[in-house]
Amino acid sequence: MSFPIECINEIFKYFQDDKISLHSCLLVNRLWCRTIIPILWSRSFFLIQTSNNSSLSLTKIYLSFLNEEEKQLRNYHPELYPIFKETLFNYPNFLKEIDYETIFLMVKFWVKININLVIVSPHSQYSSQIMNKISNKISQSLFKMFLRNNAKINMITIKSFKDNPDLPYIPNIEEFFISSFSNLKSFHFSINLPFHTLPNTYSLLKSLSKTCNTLSHLFIDSYFNKDDDDDKEEIFFNMIKIQKNIKKLIINPHGNIPKSILNLIINQSSLVLIHFIETKFFRSFPFEILSNCNNLKFLLIVNCYEYNTSSNNNSQFTISSNDIKCKIDILHLKNNHFLPLTISNLIQLSGINLSTLCLDRTTSYIILSKPLSIHCPNITHLILTLDSSNFFQSIQSIISNLKLNYFGIRSFGWTNELISVLGNYLPISLKYLELSCFFDYEALYMLLKNCKCKLRGLSMIIFNEDYLNFIIGYAKINKEFSLLGIDGLLSSENEIKSLKILKEETNVKIVDQDEIKRKSSPLYYNYRR
């Protein structure tokens, strides 16, 4: 019995990041080969980022698809253009993700390997300038080649980087949008240079803002207080306005966010995730988001400010829990300069649907004086940064009556005594514990001894053989303990010996700290990517 080609295609998509497995599978038969090749080549730039040899091979293949017009430098540098060999597939046609920085760096490496430049003097920058210019020309040629081959792009990343080149000039660019960008889903823009220095990039953005209404993910990282502020505001206002089903919006205006754009965000009912970075909100945070964005589940606010606030501004807060239409699942607040009441209201209004709360270096912990279970009884993942031992007394009330699965403490002001008694306060439901703080190994012993819950995973930032010996002992008693997340590598002879004992005598695996988060909550891990 053979599976339909549609089923085979869907199965292989789950392995799109596993280049080795896909390469093995495409050798099975012609059908599998024809199915896998488009998947492998849809994200070709992603798959070559860790290998110089792969980068050179990929560049060579793509350069062979350039036409005579696109081989602008052939008369001067024929060594940069490989002799065309007929291929079984039109590889550029399969491309779905473009990262222009990766294209440029890939080409620059190719140029460096294949061209011999005359260096005028040991201190001359002449060769570097020529190399960048040549790389820029070839990168632009490749970009045009992808569009000419009708690549169906669903993700494009354009950002500032060293020797940042402009995109190529494309006449009648709207026509290419119909063929190559008609199904664009994700757009990442991170450029802080003035538009007048990048006229072709500006032209692309302008066309996007007029014709592309298929975006589901949009990332805007750009200053809005430069000379081209009005043009930039108009482009991104139009880009957001015409979207039919935008799900994820990340914005970093590096200061004031244009009011017109903020009002659009507030009223995008299709949004599932909003992430504000380095954003200044006039007067106060716009709580209207919680009442207007019906489908919002993830709210991330990092390094943001409220300004022109006064003690009377809080009286303007009129939204009640009855007005909230969204169901916030994950709330992440980090390094924000908000009034305590703003933070308190954000947590309170998230309500019973909130499962993950991260409070990382907020300006006040007055909000933690009452149990979270009063307003957010269903929190299972809680991460707190408490830089002062004065806040330790509030830990018990914070986690009281919460059925936590993951609890993270990030602090550099705690004493060994506080760590020792922490185990007494951990809920019995807890399975994963993150300790991003410094303490002696005796404190770890007392914590694990006092802990009434059966941990499955522990994440720490400090290790040596003494800590590992206590963990080995704990793993022998608690058979459910299986993951140890570490920051860095253990290298001393005693540490390696302890690791060997850990592997031989227990079922514990040494993993990266993120692996603990992934195991405890795939949702929490994936939303951060």
Side-chain angles (χ1 to χ4, degrees), residues 114-125:
N114 288 280
I115 194 170
N116 293 317
L117 297 173
V118 178
I119 300 177
V120 177
S121 71
H123 303 289
S124 174
Q125 296 299 315

Side-chain angles (χ1 to χ4, degrees), residues 13 37 45 63-64 92-93 106 117 144 163 212 242 244 254 270 314 352 404 417 419:
K13 283 182 180 179
I37 286 295
F45 297 121
L63 288 175
S64 68
N93 178 255
M106 180 184 74
L117 297 173
K144 289 193 290 186
D163 307 314
C212 178
I242 66 172
K244 294 181 178 180
H254 298 273
S270 62
N314 287 313
I352 62 173
L404 293 180
E417 289 75 16
I419 295 295

Side-chain angles (χ1 to χ4, degrees), residues 93-105:
N93 178 255
F94 300 138
L95 188 66
K96 294 187 181 300
E97 297 183 4
I98 288 184
D99 184 332
Y100 197 68
E101 178 186 17
T102 302
I103 294 176
F104 179 79
L105 295 177

Side-chain angles (χ1 to χ4, degrees), residues 371-437:
L372 285 170
S373 58
I374 293 178
H375 301 293
C376 309
N378 296 315
I379 290 179
T380 58
H381 288 66
L382 179 64
I383 298 175
L384 302 176
T385 298
L386 302 174
D387 287 337
S388 171
S389 60
N390 296 331
F391 296 118
F392 181 82
Q393 299 302 323
S394 61
I395 286 291
Q396 186 174 11
S397 63
I398 293 169
I399 63 179
S400 175
N401 299 318
L402 288 177
K403 296 180 180 179
L404 293 180
N405 179 267
Y406 185 103
F407 184 45
I409 286 290
R410 298 170 183 175
S411 173
F412 298 101
W414 282 26
T415 63
N416 291 320
E417 289 75 16
L418 295 181
I419 295 295
S420 298
V421 299
L422 178 62
N424 295 319
Y425 301 109
L426 298 178
I428 196 169
S429 60
L430 193 70
K431 299 300 181 185
Y432 301 93
L433 178 63
E434 173 189 343
L435 296 173
S436 295
C437 42

